[in-house]
Amino acid sequence: MLRFAIPLAAMMAATPVLAESWDMPTPYGDSTFHTQNIREFADEVKAATDGGLEITVHSAGSLFPHGEIKNAVRSRQVPIGEFFLSTLANEDLAFGMDSQPFLATSYDDAAKLWDAQKPAIEKLLAEQSLMPLFSVPWPAQGLYTKKEIKTVDDLNGLRFRAYNAALEEFATLAGAAPVQVEAPDIPQAFSTGQVEAMITSPSTGANSKAWDFLSHYTPINAWVPKNIVVVNKRVFDGLDPAVQEAVLAAAEAAQARGIEMSKAETEAKVKELADNGITVYEPSPELVEGLQGIGATMLENWQSKASDDAKGALAAYQQ
Ligand code: PCA
């Protein structure tokens, strides 16, 4: 009940355009370049719509835990959100392609893989009333440990931090013991001894201050995984066409900007690791060979379980 009734006509005159405000959950912290890029995306949308659409970013899993963000957008608890694309591999293996070791190891490969994956992913997301807005790769993933790793055997028995099913499989095949830990929880997981090794980007390693709890980094550059930003299709369809256009234009700009930020971080964050005392070394040929063997096994497993659309995406990529 309104205590002070305002005539409807007066209200409408005062607010000619109904401003929308969206809450946007994201999984990673404020020092993460993905989060910074998304804040710029939100600023651009606000400016381009004259404040008609205001997006409030809730970082580091503060509004929804990472694993719930996709379903929160699906059920329209929030209109928009970000997550790590390959965490949806349990729904369809098409989502997990970018985390297959040694399938796509450079930014060019990652862009090509995204083009190949996109039709299958758009279709799968559309079934859940979700629409991708943009996707940005992390720097290639490297190996962090407490001593130099010369062969895969050196990983045997290590408690290994994992962030998706592919990394869990990878760790298991290497004889390590995977433990799922979200990125913001990495420092605590190491300091309590829950984990003692990990594979992630120079960005996440440096942002977690890896030098506080481990000593060695080697750029095995085995895969280039991506984050994705999705919007609820029904919410998007309900926007004014000019606002829709502004969102799509800002999304395109965010993808391009995010890729450049990612590229720039690769070198800068490895330097930060080294400057803080981490020993950065090239992987030995024996280590690379062993890891490639694990990758080959994983790709065989993937192919034996993948949907036709996912296999089609792999064929398109490998063409
Ligand atoms: N950082 C995120 C995902 C991939 C990456 O480089 C993480 O470690 O959780």
Side-chain angles (χ1 to χ4, degrees):
M1 283 283 277
L2 280 178
R3 284 181 65 193
F4 305 101
I6 302 167
L8 189 61
M11 258 175 69
M12 291 181 57
T15 50
V17 176
L18 260 189
E20 285 250 11
S21 64
W22 286 2
D23 286 310
M24 177 170 188
T26 74
Y28 303 100
D30 289 326
S31 58
T32 306
F33 73 94
H34 288 281
T35 311
Q36 291 162 356
N37 188 35
I38 284 172
R39 290 195 192 282
E40 279 190 50
F41 162 75
D43 289 346
E44 275 190 14
V45 169
K46 186 178 173 187
T49 59
D50 269 333
L53 177 56
E54 195 159 339
I55 300 173
T56 305
V57 178
H58 302 268
S59 61
S62 57
L63 189 59
F64 285 97
H66 190 180
E68 290 174 22
I69 291 177
K70 190 268 292 177
N71 281 339
V73 183
R74 180 184 185 174
S75 62
R76 284 189 287 165
Q77 287 172 275
V78 285
I80 188 169
E82 180 201 33
F83 53 88
F84 192 51
L85 179 64
S86 54
T87 54
L88 301 191
N90 60 336
E91 297 187 12
D92 191 294
L93 287 175
F95 289 115
M97 296 175 74
D98 66 19
S99 296
Q100 287 296 311
F102 302 103
L103 184 60
T105 57
S106 67
Y107 284 105
D108 283 350
D109 286 356
K112 202 176 147 205
L113 180 61
W114 177 229
D115 285 343
Q117 271 180 300
K118 213 172 163 191
I121 283 175
E122 279 175 340
K123 188 171 144 192
L124 289 162
L125 291 177
E127 286 164 9
Q128 305 188 29
S129 193
L130 298 171
M131 182 175 106
L133 281 180
F134 61 93
S135 176
V136 172
W138 291 88
Q141 306 287 289
L143 175 63
Y144 294 79
T145 51
K146 297 187 182 195
K147 60 170 192 174
E148 184 170 338
I149 299 296
K150 298 201 174 85
T151 69
V152 169
D153 283 348
D154 292 341
L155 298 173
N156 198 41
L158 292 183
R159 288 185 298 280
F160 211 93
R161 183 253 168 171
Y163 52 51
N164 66 9
L167 189 43
E168 211 169 291
E169 185 182 2
F170 187 89
T172 305
L173 287 169
V179 183
Q180 290 287 339
V181 177
E182 286 298 325
D185 303 328
I186 289 173
Q188 202 194 344
F190 274 91
S191 68
T192 58
Q194 208 190 349
V195 295
E196 52 196 340
M198 66 178 173
I199 288 180
T200 186
S201 57
S203 306
T204 298
N207 292 346
S208 313
K209 300 199 188 320
W211 47 86
D212 285 346
F213 47 80
L214 49 78
S215 55
H216 284 70
Y217 173 75
T218 186
I220 58 169
N221 296 346
W223 59 94
V224 179
K226 298 180 294 285
N227 285 0
I228 189 168
V229 169
V230 301
V231 66
N232 184 288
K233 185 82 171 74
R234 287 173 66 187
V235 176
F236 183 82
D237 288 346
L239 292 174
D240 185 274
V243 176
Q244 289 182 352
E245 253 177 61
V247 170
L248 294 179
E252 200 181 318
Q255 178 160 309
R257 183 177 57 237
I259 292 170
E260 291 313 310
M261 291 170 98
S262 184
K263 288 179 181 170
E265 287 236 327
T266 308
E267 215 178 304
K269 294 291 179 172
V270 173
K271 184 171 182 301
E272 192 177 332
L273 293 172
D275 287 350
N276 282 282
I278 298 244
T279 303
V280 179
Y281 63 103
E282 282 304 311
S284 70
E286 293 75 23
L287 177 61
V288 172
E289 202 183 313
L291 296 175
Q292 282 172 340
I294 292 175
T297 303
M298 285 178 65
L299 195 58
E300 270 174 41
N301 292 344
W302 186 93
Q303 278 174 307
S304 71
K305 290 181 287 183
S307 63
D308 286 345
D309 282 354
K311 279 190 251 183
L314 180 63
Y317 171 68
Q318 285 176 330
Q319 239 179 30

